Amino acid sequence: MQNRTAILRAGAYAGFLGATAFILQAVFTSTSSTAAIGLIMIPFYGFAAAGVGWALVYSAFAVLDLRSGKASWNSRNVQFAAVFLAILVLAGLGFFAQQCALAVAKNPASTPQVLEAVSQRWIPWGHREMEIALAQHPSTPPAILERLAMSGDGAVVQQAGANANMPLAALEGIAAGPLTYERVAGLAGNQKISRAIMEKLIAAAMNDSNAADPVRQGLYKTYVLSALAANAALPQDLFDRVAATDSPTHFLVLAVINAPRANCLQMSGLLESAPALENAGLYNTILNKMTEKDCFVEN
């Protein structure tokens, strides 16, 4: 009995460590700016995984007892094992179905017809990952993108807004909604957007919701205005407005100086911006860009 107790504990510890390793791997390989928030989920998923690990070992003991004749189908431990293993099998089948659909949605060779078919598959969970994969695929039909643009998930809307297949009317629909960086960062980089949308995105950097929260305003400049600055379809006069943004962030400065249309006066001004003065690497990058364009650099 003591040996079984020790093995049950080991199963729980293994479950907790497995969940922790999975979350750490997901956080440190993610490209999302908010990925680190996932670390706070370690206790929740860890204890849940510990429970699964314990139950898996407990069920294994129950099956062994049933086979050896030490327990019958009427015993509670065998009944628990039967229910748990049935749930585990169903969960595994659901996970398999979701992964198969996700593999199709992420396959660059998938045709519009195949993507349309996979978008209509029923999967028990993982819809968000599926929607993001469909929103990112270059062959996703416009009709699917229009549906994704109406999602309540900002990450899905962001990816859909960046897709070159998105109809202009749907892009205007995204711009008519909340202009948060989570939703419109993709829209800002889409070369199909109209001048009216561009002007709206620039003005939103100083709207009430962003101006009242310096952190959100900084994130908006980092993701939305930076994407606009890198958008080849942005007219020169609007690029000049973005380049003259007050209190630019590090990434906005980089986006402006790396744009072919940036002039010496703009780069000289950014050389004196707070991000450049606080970061020697960024300061030197601006100097190098100015040298490449034969700009006058005051010693």
PDB file of all heavy atoms in Angstrom, residues 10-34:
ATOM      1  N   ALA A  10       3.981  10.149  -7.228  1.00  0.00           N
ATOM      2  CA  ALA A  10       4.892  10.370  -8.359  1.00  0.00           C
ATOM      3  C   ALA A  10       4.109  10.715  -9.618  1.00  0.00           C
ATOM      4  O   ALA A  10       4.522  11.568 -10.414  1.00  0.00           O
ATOM      5  CB  ALA A  10       5.741   9.115  -8.583  1.00  0.00           C
ATOM      6  N   GLY A  11       2.946  10.056  -9.804  1.00  0.00           N
ATOM      7  CA  GLY A  11       2.103  10.370 -10.950  1.00  0.00           C
ATOM      8  C   GLY A  11       1.604  11.800 -10.906  1.00  0.00           C
ATOM      9  O   GLY A  11       1.562  12.498 -11.929  1.00  0.00           O
ATOM     10  N   ALA A  12       1.229  12.255  -9.709  1.00  0.00           N
ATOM     11  CA  ALA A  12       0.758  13.630  -9.549  1.00  0.00           C
ATOM     12  C   ALA A  12       1.885  14.620  -9.820  1.00  0.00           C
ATOM     13  O   ALA A  12       1.695  15.631 -10.525  1.00  0.00           O
ATOM     14  CB  ALA A  12       0.206  13.830  -8.146  1.00  0.00           C
ATOM     15  N   TYR A  13       3.078  14.335  -9.284  1.00  0.00           N
ATOM     16  CA  TYR A  13       4.226  15.216  -9.514  1.00  0.00           C
ATOM     17  C   TYR A  13       4.577  15.267 -11.008  1.00  0.00           C
ATOM     18  O   TYR A  13       4.889  16.333 -11.549  1.00  0.00           O
ATOM     19  CB  TYR A  13       5.442  14.739  -8.720  1.00  0.00           C
ATOM     20  CG  TYR A  13       5.316  14.934  -7.232  1.00  0.00           C
ATOM     21  CD1 TYR A  13       5.796  13.970  -6.344  1.00  0.00           C
ATOM     22  CD2 TYR A  13       4.734  16.072  -6.695  1.00  0.00           C
ATOM     23  CE1 TYR A  13       5.687  14.144  -4.972  1.00  0.00           C
ATOM     24  CE2 TYR A  13       4.613  16.259  -5.324  1.00  0.00           C
ATOM     25  CZ  TYR A  13       5.089  15.284  -4.463  1.00  0.00           C
ATOM     26  OH  TYR A  13       4.983  15.460  -3.106  1.00  0.00           O
ATOM     27  N   ALA A  14       4.520  14.109 -11.662  1.00  0.00           N
ATOM     28  CA  ALA A  14       4.836  14.062 -13.092  1.00  0.00           C
ATOM     29  C   ALA A  14       3.841  14.889 -13.897  1.00  0.00           C
ATOM     30  O   ALA A  14       4.223  15.602 -14.840  1.00  0.00           O
ATOM     31  CB  ALA A  14       4.823  12.613 -13.575  1.00  0.00           C
ATOM     32  N   GLY A  15       2.568  14.821 -13.518  1.00  0.00           N
ATOM     33  CA  GLY A  15       1.561  15.622 -14.201  1.00  0.00           C
ATOM     34  C   GLY A  15       1.808  17.104 -14.034  1.00  0.00           C
ATOM     35  O   GLY A  15       1.730  17.876 -14.999  1.00  0.00           O
ATOM     36  N   PHE A  16       2.118  17.513 -12.811  1.00  0.00           N
ATOM     37  CA  PHE A  16       2.383  18.931 -12.533  1.00  0.00           C
ATOM     38  C   PHE A  16       3.602  19.412 -13.310  1.00  0.00           C
ATOM     39  O   PHE A  16       3.572  20.469 -13.953  1.00  0.00           O
ATOM     40  CB  PHE A  16       2.598  19.146 -11.039  1.00  0.00           C
ATOM     41  CG  PHE A  16       2.717  20.589 -10.653  1.00  0.00           C
ATOM     42  CD1 PHE A  16       1.603  21.321 -10.276  1.00  0.00           C
ATOM     43  CD2 PHE A  16       3.954  21.236 -10.668  1.00  0.00           C
ATOM     44  CE1 PHE A  16       1.706  22.664  -9.924  1.00  0.00           C
ATOM     45  CE2 PHE A  16       4.067  22.572 -10.327  1.00  0.00           C
ATOM     46  CZ  PHE A  16       2.943  23.280  -9.948  1.00  0.00           C
ATOM     47  N   LEU A  17       4.682  18.631 -13.286  1.00  0.00           N
ATOM     48  CA  LEU A  17       5.900  19.033 -13.989  1.00  0.00           C
ATOM     49  C   LEU A  17       5.696  19.054 -15.500  1.00  0.00           C
ATOM     50  O   LEU A  17       6.224  19.919 -16.198  1.00  0.00           O
ATOM     51  CB  LEU A  17       7.039  18.072 -13.632  1.00  0.00           C
ATOM     52  CG  LEU A  17       7.540  18.141 -12.178  1.00  0.00           C
ATOM     53  CD1 LEU A  17       8.572  17.057 -11.917  1.00  0.00           C
ATOM     54  CD2 LEU A  17       8.122  19.522 -11.883  1.00  0.00           C
ATOM     55  N   GLY A  18       4.897  18.101 -16.000  1.00  0.00           N
ATOM     56  CA  GLY A  18       4.616  18.077 -17.434  1.00  0.00           C
ATOM     57  C   GLY A  18       3.864  19.314 -17.879  1.00  0.00           C
ATOM     58  O   GLY A  18       4.187  19.914 -18.915  1.00  0.00           O
ATOM     59  N   ALA A  19       2.855  19.711 -17.101  1.00  0.00           N
ATOM     60  CA  ALA A  19       2.089  20.911 -17.439  1.00  0.00           C
ATOM     61  C   ALA A  19       2.965  22.155 -17.347  1.00  0.00           C
ATOM     62  O   ALA A  19       2.879  23.058 -18.192  1.00  0.00           O
ATOM     63  CB  ALA A  19       0.889  21.048 -16.499  1.00  0.00           C
ATOM     64  N   THR A  20       3.824  22.210 -16.325  1.00  0.00           N
ATOM     65  CA  THR A  20       4.721  23.356 -16.169  1.00  0.00           C
ATOM     66  C   THR A  20       5.671  23.472 -17.352  1.00  0.00           C
ATOM     67  O   THR A  20       5.878  24.561 -17.903  1.00  0.00           O
ATOM     68  CB  THR A  20       5.526  23.217 -14.868  1.00  0.00           C
ATOM     69  OG1 THR A  20       4.636  23.153 -13.757  1.00  0.00           O
ATOM     70  CG2 THR A  20       6.478  24.400 -14.689  1.00  0.00           C
ATOM     71  N   ALA A  21       6.246  22.332 -17.763  1.00  0.00           N
ATOM     72  CA  ALA A  21       7.172  22.342 -18.902  1.00  0.00           C
ATOM     73  C   ALA A  21       6.459  22.778 -20.175  1.00  0.00           C
ATOM     74  O   ALA A  21       7.014  23.534 -20.988  1.00  0.00           O
ATOM     75  CB  ALA A  21       7.779  20.954 -19.079  1.00  0.00           C
ATOM     76  N   PHE A  22       5.220  22.326 -20.357  1.00  0.00           N
ATOM     77  CA  PHE A  22       4.451  22.691 -21.553  1.00  0.00           C
ATOM     78  C   PHE A  22       4.194  24.192 -21.590  1.00  0.00           C
ATOM     79  O   PHE A  22       4.354  24.840 -22.633  1.00  0.00           O
ATOM     80  CB  PHE A  22       3.132  21.927 -21.571  1.00  0.00           C
ATOM     81  CG  PHE A  22       2.229  22.307 -22.714  1.00  0.00           C
ATOM     82  CD1 PHE A  22       2.438  21.796 -23.984  1.00  0.00           C
ATOM     83  CD2 PHE A  22       1.175  23.193 -22.523  1.00  0.00           C
ATOM     84  CE1 PHE A  22       1.621  22.157 -25.048  1.00  0.00           C
ATOM     85  CE2 PHE A  22       0.351  23.555 -23.574  1.00  0.00           C
ATOM     86  CZ  PHE A  22       0.574  23.033 -24.842  1.00  0.00           C
ATOM     87  N   ILE A  23       3.790  24.776 -20.453  1.00  0.00           N
ATOM     88  CA  ILE A  23       3.496  26.210 -20.405  1.00  0.00           C
ATOM     89  C   ILE A  23       4.762  27.021 -20.635  1.00  0.00           C
ATOM     90  O   ILE A  23       4.754  28.016 -21.380  1.00  0.00           O
ATOM     91  CB  ILE A  23       2.841  26.584 -19.062  1.00  0.00           C
ATOM     92  CG1 ILE A  23       1.446  25.948 -18.972  1.00  0.00           C
ATOM     93  CG2 ILE A  23       2.745  28.098 -18.909  1.00  0.00           C
ATOM     94  CD1 ILE A  23       0.778  26.136 -17.631  1.00  0.00           C
ATOM     95  N   LEU A  24       5.866  26.613 -20.015  1.00  0.00           N
ATOM     96  CA  LEU A  24       7.126  27.334 -20.206  1.00  0.00           C
ATOM     97  C   LEU A  24       7.566  27.293 -21.665  1.00  0.00           C
ATOM     98  O   LEU A  24       8.010  28.305 -22.222  1.00  0.00           O
ATOM     99  CB  LEU A  24       8.214  26.724 -19.319  1.00  0.00           C
ATOM    100  CG  LEU A  24       8.061  26.958 -17.804  1.00  0.00           C
ATOM    101  CD1 LEU A  24       9.133  26.192 -17.046  1.00  0.00           C
ATOM    102  CD2 LEU A  24       8.159  28.451 -17.482  1.00  0.00           C
ATOM    103  N   GLN A  25       7.416  26.131 -22.289  1.00  0.00           N
ATOM    104  CA  GLN A  25       7.777  26.014 -23.705  1.00  0.00           C
ATOM    105  C   GLN A  25       6.898  26.905 -24.575  1.00  0.00           C
ATOM    106  O   GLN A  25       7.384  27.576 -25.499  1.00  0.00           O
ATOM    107  CB  GLN A  25       7.660  24.544 -24.135  1.00  0.00           C
ATOM    108  CG  GLN A  25       8.190  24.245 -25.526  1.00  0.00           C
ATOM    109  CD  GLN A  25       7.146  24.394 -26.623  1.00  0.00           C
ATOM    110  OE1 GLN A  25       5.946  24.366 -26.345  1.00  0.00           O
ATOM    111  NE2 GLN A  25       7.593  24.562 -27.851  1.00  0.00           N
ATOM    112  N   ALA A  26       5.598  26.941 -24.256  1.00  0.00           N
ATOM    113  CA  ALA A  26       4.667  27.765 -25.034  1.00  0.00           C
ATOM    114  C   ALA A  26       4.972  29.250 -24.871  1.00  0.00           C
ATOM    115  O   ALA A  26       4.922  30.021 -25.835  1.00  0.00           O
ATOM    116  CB  ALA A  26       3.234  27.468 -24.607  1.00  0.00           C
ATOM    117  N   VAL A  27       5.314  29.665 -23.645  1.00  0.00           N
ATOM    118  CA  VAL A  27       5.587  31.078 -23.374  1.00  0.00           C
ATOM    119  C   VAL A  27       6.867  31.535 -24.059  1.00  0.00           C
ATOM    120  O   VAL A  27       6.913  32.581 -24.713  1.00  0.00           O
ATOM    121  CB  VAL A  27       5.667  31.327 -21.855  1.00  0.00           C
ATOM    122  CG1 VAL A  27       6.243  32.716 -21.564  1.00  0.00           C
ATOM    123  CG2 VAL A  27       4.290  31.197 -21.218  1.00  0.00           C
ATOM    124  N   PHE A  28       7.939  30.738 -23.931  1.00  0.00           N
ATOM    125  CA  PHE A  28       9.234  31.174 -24.440  1.00  0.00           C
ATOM    126  C   PHE A  28       9.409  30.970 -25.944  1.00  0.00           C
ATOM    127  O   PHE A  28      10.382  31.452 -26.527  1.00  0.00           O
ATOM    128  CB  PHE A  28      10.358  30.471 -23.681  1.00  0.00           C
ATOM    129  CG  PHE A  28      10.512  30.967 -22.263  1.00  0.00           C
ATOM    130  CD1 PHE A  28      10.108  30.194 -21.191  1.00  0.00           C
ATOM    131  CD2 PHE A  28      11.032  32.225 -22.010  1.00  0.00           C
ATOM    132  CE1 PHE A  28      10.227  30.647 -19.886  1.00  0.00           C
ATOM    133  CE2 PHE A  28      11.155  32.698 -20.711  1.00  0.00           C
ATOM    134  CZ  PHE A  28      10.754  31.908 -19.647  1.00  0.00           C
ATOM    135  N   THR A  29       8.476  30.280 -26.579  1.00  0.00           N
ATOM    136  CA  THR A  29       8.534  30.146 -28.042  1.00  0.00           C
ATOM    137  C   THR A  29       7.476  30.999 -28.726  1.00  0.00           C
ATOM    138  O   THR A  29       7.442  31.061 -29.954  1.00  0.00           O
ATOM    139  CB  THR A  29       8.334  28.673 -28.461  1.00  0.00           C
ATOM    140  OG1 THR A  29       7.077  28.186 -27.970  1.00  0.00           O
ATOM    141  CG2 THR A  29       9.462  27.803 -27.933  1.00  0.00           C
ATOM    142  N   SER A  30       6.634  31.665 -27.942  1.00  0.00           N
ATOM    143  CA  SER A  30       5.578  32.489 -28.516  1.00  0.00           C
ATOM    144  C   SER A  30       6.133  33.828 -28.988  1.00  0.00           C
ATOM    145  O   SER A  30       7.085  34.367 -28.406  1.00  0.00           O
ATOM    146  CB  SER A  30       4.470  32.719 -27.478  1.00  0.00           C
ATOM    147  OG  SER A  30       3.502  33.620 -27.974  1.00  0.00           O
ATOM    148  N   THR A  31       5.533  34.364 -30.042  1.00  0.00           N
ATOM    149  CA  THR A  31       5.922  35.684 -30.548  1.00  0.00           C
ATOM    150  C   THR A  31       4.998  36.783 -30.025  1.00  0.00           C
ATOM    151  O   THR A  31       5.176  37.950 -30.345  1.00  0.00           O
ATOM    152  CB  THR A  31       5.883  35.691 -32.087  1.00  0.00           C
ATOM    153  OG1 THR A  31       4.565  35.322 -32.521  1.00  0.00           O
ATOM    154  CG2 THR A  31       6.903  34.715 -32.660  1.00  0.00           C
ATOM    155  N   SER A  32       4.029  36.412 -29.211  1.00  0.00           N
ATOM    156  CA  SER A  32       3.080  37.388 -28.682  1.00  0.00           C
ATOM    157  C   SER A  32       3.728  38.243 -27.601  1.00  0.00           C
ATOM    158  O   SER A  32       4.518  37.749 -26.787  1.00  0.00           O
ATOM    159  CB  SER A  32       1.859  36.663 -28.094  1.00  0.00           C
ATOM    160  OG  SER A  32       1.012  37.571 -27.405  1.00  0.00           O
ATOM    161  N   SER A  33       3.379  39.523 -27.590  1.00  0.00           N
ATOM    162  CA  SER A  33       3.936  40.435 -26.583  1.00  0.00           C
ATOM    163  C   SER A  33       3.385  40.163 -25.192  1.00  0.00           C
ATOM    164  O   SER A  33       3.962  40.587 -24.197  1.00  0.00           O
ATOM    165  CB  SER A  33       3.611  41.884 -26.971  1.00  0.00           C
ATOM    166  OG  SER A  33       2.207  42.090 -27.003  1.00  0.00           O
ATOM    167  N   THR A  34       2.264  39.471 -25.111  1.00  0.00           N
ATOM    168  CA  THR A  34       1.639  39.199 -23.815  1.00  0.00           C
ATOM    169  C   THR A  34       1.806  37.744 -23.400  1.00  0.00           C
ATOM    170  O   THR A  34       1.120  37.280 -22.499  1.00  0.00           O
ATOM    171  CB  THR A  34       0.140  39.546 -23.874  1.00  0.00           C
ATOM    172  OG1 THR A  34      -0.476  38.781 -24.922  1.00  0.00           O
ATOM    173  CG2 THR A  34      -0.067  41.029 -24.153  1.00  0.00           C
TER     174      THR A  34
END
